[in-house]
């Protein structure tokens, strides 16, 4: 398991298109993962690999908003897709996202 880097976005978008919703074009998945209102984002979520194969993802989007006069950081939990046989590991993806400090979920 590791964070989704910008270089991983095309592969993750293809994975979501193939395994979550073929009705959503790969390009739409990519735009969703790269969208942010933050100057920097820590990742685009987390992915799970078995050898060289991508077997699961939990996408995250990030935003900054002024709340009660303070700039606050938010992490939106996005699409979560894990192939059969890796369901047990899917919780590791969620826990990795929630372990990020300094964000509202």
């Amino acid at each position: 398991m590791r964070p989704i880097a910008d270089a991983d976005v095309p592969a993750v978008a293809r994975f979501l298109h193939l395994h979550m919703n073929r009705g959503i074009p790969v390009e739409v998945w990519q735009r969703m993962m790269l969208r942010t209102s933050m100057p920097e984002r820590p990742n685009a979520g987390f992915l799970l690999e078995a050898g060289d194969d991508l077997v699961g993802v939990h996408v995250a989007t990030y935003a900054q908003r002024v709340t009660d006069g303070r700039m606050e950081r938010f992490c939106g939990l996005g699409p979560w897709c894990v192939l059969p046989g890796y369901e047990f590991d899917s919780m590791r993806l969620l826990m990795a996202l929630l372990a990020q400090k300094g964000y509202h979920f």
Side-chain angles (χ1 to χ4, degrees):
M1 183 182 66
R2 63 181 175 82
I4 299 171
D6 286 347
D8 298 315
V9 168
V12 172
R14 282 190 302 277
F15 179 86
L16 290 169
H17 173 74
L18 291 172
H19 300 289
M20 185 166 215
N21 188 336
R22 289 178 185 250
I24 299 175
V26 172
E27 298 78 19
V28 172
W29 286 115
Q30 286 179 296
R31 280 195 309 271
M32 181 269 303
M33 284 188 283
L34 294 172
R35 182 179 58 220
T36 184
S37 67
M38 295 180 63
E40 294 182 18
R41 64 186 167 98
N43 54 60
F46 285 82
L47 60 79
L48 184 63
E49 295 171 307
D52 292 333
D53 296 326
L54 183 56
V55 297
V57 300
H58 197 160
V59 174
T61 56
Y62 296 89
Q64 288 185 152
R65 301 280 186 267
V66 175
T67 304
D68 292 329
R70 293 186 316 262
M71 186 63 73
E72 299 286 345
R73 299 184 320 166
F74 294 85
C75 174
L77 302 177
W80 187 6
C81 180
V82 178
L83 295 182
Y86 297 93
E87 298 91 349
F88 180 77
D89 294 308
S90 67
M91 290 307 294
R92 292 176 49 217
L93 294 168
L94 175 62
M95 297 309 292
L97 282 169
L98 296 177
Q100 297 180 109
K101 302 286 185 222
Y103 291 94
H104 299 283
F105 295 89

